[in-house]
Amino acid sequence: YLSAMSDIIMQRDGTLDKYIGDAIMAFWNAPKPVANHAVSACYAAIENQQKLAEMRIRWINEDLPPIGCRIGLHTGTVVVGNFGSAKRLNYTIIGDPVNLAARLESACKQYNIDIMISEETYLAAKENIEVRLLDNIAVKGKKEGVFVYELLGRKGKLIQEMKDFSECYEQALTAYNAREWDNAIALFEKAEYLKRKDDPASQKLAEKCKAFKA
């Protein structure tokens, strides 16, 4: 698993930072500049999940656990270099954007999704990726909410079923923000039907609509 995921990251010009248990920390644009680094990171994340889906089929056939992974991506200015003690140094990155990326990875679990990206990453890569605006969430360590997106795939590569789901969800979110509660509830329920599996984001916002309506 670690080899397969790491190979994809490096093929997409990512720098492997460290392994933290079963987690992989990586970054782009250092030590060498990477043109369109946000796009490269998004493509690596998409390809990681595609490769993992292939590996799960093999693991199931071998009677092994079909593990999954979550990915968080954020784009920001960090400090990069050799950090540590007088006796040992580690080439790595530090800064608030690193922490936010980790929070986004963790937040994926609440929404039952594979890849969550920040608004900054979306704005840097939007011409090359397909997303759905997921929510405005409170992240530990942040005083203000942040807009987050589910990364669905490369531009123009989504199957029609996923396109229909994404469009319906965003229509529901627009109705929600306009306080059109009945319309929003109906659209969130339709979106979950189109996805054909549990979508905690649709469920949570539909429940919010019902509460606000009451």
Side-chain angles (χ1 to χ4, degrees):
Y1 164 75
L2 292 174
S3 294
M5 300 300 103
S6 300
D7 287 348
I8 290 169
I9 291 167
M10 289 187 287
Q11 287 162 10
R12 285 291 176 188
D13 298 319
T15 298
L16 286 170
D17 187 306
K18 60 177 70 72
Y19 300 105
I20 311 166
D22 64 343
I24 302 171
M25 177 175 167
F27 55 87
W28 277 256
N29 210 34
K32 293 181 179 179
V34 176
N36 300 318
H37 50 83
V39 176
S40 295
C42 288
Y43 283 0
I46 293 165
E47 290 162 15
N48 275 162
Q49 294 293 358
Q50 290 171 340
K51 180 65 175 177
L52 189 54
E54 294 173 11
M55 295 171 75
R56 272 197 294 270
I57 295 171
R58 190 181 79 228
W59 290 330
I60 291 169
N61 291 333
E62 295 174 358
D63 200 26
L64 295 170
I67 66 168
C69 79
R70 301 182 297 268
I71 300 172
L73 293 178
H74 177 50
T75 302
T77 301
V78 298
V79 180
V80 59
N82 292 305
F83 298 93
S85 68
K87 293 184 178 179
R88 178 167 179 175
L89 296 171
N90 183 33
Y91 183 76
T92 187
I93 56 174
I94 59 173
D96 190 54
V98 183
N99 300 329
L100 180 53
R103 304 296 183 202
L104 298 184
E105 182 276 328
S106 178
C108 284
K109 191 173 185 178
Q110 301 169 31
Y111 293 89
N112 193 28
I113 64 172
D114 295 328
I115 310 170
M116 184 182 291
I117 68 174
S118 67
E119 186 167 35
E120 289 80 1
T121 299
Y122 165 67
L123 292 173
K126 64 181 181 179
E127 301 303 323
N128 298 274
I129 57 174
E130 301 276 6
V131 302
R132 69 161 164 155
L133 175 58
L134 195 61
D135 206 348
N136 184 292
I137 65 172
V139 179
K140 187 177 179 181
K142 289 279 187 183
K143 292 183 178 179
E144 296 181 359
V146 294
F147 284 103
V148 293
Y149 298 76
E150 179 183 8
L151 179 57
L152 300 173
R154 296 177 67 152
K155 197 76 167 181
K157 299 292 184 180
L158 287 190
I159 60 172
Q160 190 60 48
E161 188 176 280
M162 185 56 73
K163 279 185 180 179
D164 293 343
F165 158 69
S166 178
E167 289 171 4
C168 184
Y169 180 88
E170 292 204 355
Q171 289 169 8
L173 202 58
T174 298
Y176 170 80
N177 288 325
R179 304 183 183 188
E180 298 170 1
W181 308 128
D182 289 329
N183 187 28
I185 291 166
L187 286 167
F188 281 127
E189 289 174 350
K190 180 182 177 182
E192 185 164 29
Y193 169 77
L194 290 171
K195 192 172 185 180
R196 301 192 185 282
K197 67 175 183 178
D198 284 350
D199 185 52
S202 295
Q203 294 168 3
K204 185 177 77 168
L205 289 174
E207 289 303 316
K208 276 188 176 181
C209 289
K210 292 172 185 175
F212 284 133
K213 182 182 174 184

